[in-house]
Amino acid sequence: MANLVYKRVSTDQQSTDRQNLVLDEAGIEAPVVFEEQAGTSSRLHPLERPKFGELLAYARPGDAVHISEMFRLVRGTGHILDVLDVLHRDRLALRIHDGAFSAMDLTARHPRTGELLSTVKFMVQTLAAAGELQRDLQRELTYDGLRAAEAKGNKGGRRPAVPAAKTDAVRTAYLEGRSIAALAREHDVSRGAIRTAVVDLLPE
């Protein structure tokens, strides 16, 4: 059985340092690494990404695919289910070593029908929906704060930590390994502003 490691970052300003740390701590034996070119978009379907395609072509039944966190490979629920179907077809295991999905066996199938277990599908959809709700609430809170400040005529003074239009980009970049300091410099805000935007994503 081969251990196939997949890595990806969304911009050429990001590094795989955090992914490397998580995967090194997992103690993966004789890893075969497939790393996307920096800047490969998370919006691109995983099955259309060059290196993941190479990984699938290289893989043999019984091999295991290792990723640090689920979002390195997929974002939306539909993408997750598509990838799980392909891994099942090719008889490949999936090992996620950090994040909400790390405690789940996403390859569990019904012994007779071969379909993804309904409990697994439910958990995947629930976690994806929770992530979307979290992003929407963050946008709403930021927008409400801006409107309240405008109603008071408070257009000067302390600026909102991160503009509402950039909140999603900041949160995504943080999840993909950008440091708080780097994001603060990039968006010309304080580090505290960045921490506020990603407060629910910070380590315990």
Side-chain angles (χ1 to χ4, degrees):
M1 180 194 81
N3 289 308
L4 314 179
V5 171
Y6 179 77
K7 302 178 186 179
R8 182 189 63 83
V9 293
S10 293
T11 75
D12 55 11
Q13 295 178 327
Q14 298 165 350
S15 75
T16 57
D17 289 350
R18 186 175 183 280
Q19 295 176 68
N20 294 337
L21 177 62
V22 171
L23 294 166
D24 288 346
E25 289 178 346
I28 301 168
E29 184 177 351
V32 181
V33 178
F34 296 83
E35 183 173 338
E36 298 287 0
Q37 182 176 352
T40 302
S41 174
S42 58
R43 295 193 181 109
L44 187 65
H45 196 294
L47 300 178
E48 297 174 354
R49 294 184 194 139
K51 286 299 179 179
F52 191 64
E54 288 183 20
L55 182 152
L56 292 175
Y58 179 92
R60 295 294 179 267
D63 290 352
V65 178
H66 298 262
I67 52 178
S68 57
E69 304 96 356
M70 176 60 88
F71 63 80
R72 296 298 175 188
L73 180 58
V74 295
R75 286 287 185 183
T77 307
H79 288 186
I80 296 174
L81 298 178
D82 288 345
V83 168
L84 292 179
D85 282 344
V86 168
L87 295 179
H88 174 67
R89 179 199 69 193
D90 294 346
R91 290 183 284 168
L92 305 174
L94 177 63
R95 301 286 181 264
I96 305 167
H97 295 282
D98 197 18
F101 290 94
S102 60
M104 298 175 58
D105 179 7
L106 298 180
T107 60
R109 298 271 168 167
H110 192 282
R112 289 192 295 276
T113 66
E115 295 181 356
L116 192 67
L117 287 181
S118 57
T119 51
V120 173
K121 186 179 292 186
F122 173 77
M123 287 301 296
V124 167
Q125 292 169 335
T126 299
L127 287 170
E132 185 174 352
L133 174 62
Q134 188 178 72
R135 292 191 295 271
D136 289 345
L137 287 173
Q138 183 69 37
R139 280 196 298 267
E140 290 173 8
L141 289 171
T142 303
Y143 178 75
D144 289 345
L146 288 171
R147 291 297 300 273
E150 289 175 1
K152 294 178 180 179
N154 184 21
K155 296 184 179 179
R158 186 174 181 178
R159 294 176 299 169
V162 176
K166 294 184 178 180
T167 300
D168 278 354
V170 167
R171 290 167 63 81
T172 298
Y174 177 77
L175 284 170
E176 292 178 341
R178 295 295 303 281
S179 70
I180 287 175
L183 287 168
R185 289 193 299 272
E186 180 179 334
H187 294 278
D188 193 26
V189 296
S190 68
R191 295 186 185 187
I194 299 298
R195 289 192 186 93
T196 299
V198 301
V199 63
D200 55 309
L201 305 176
L202 295 172
E204 295 292 339

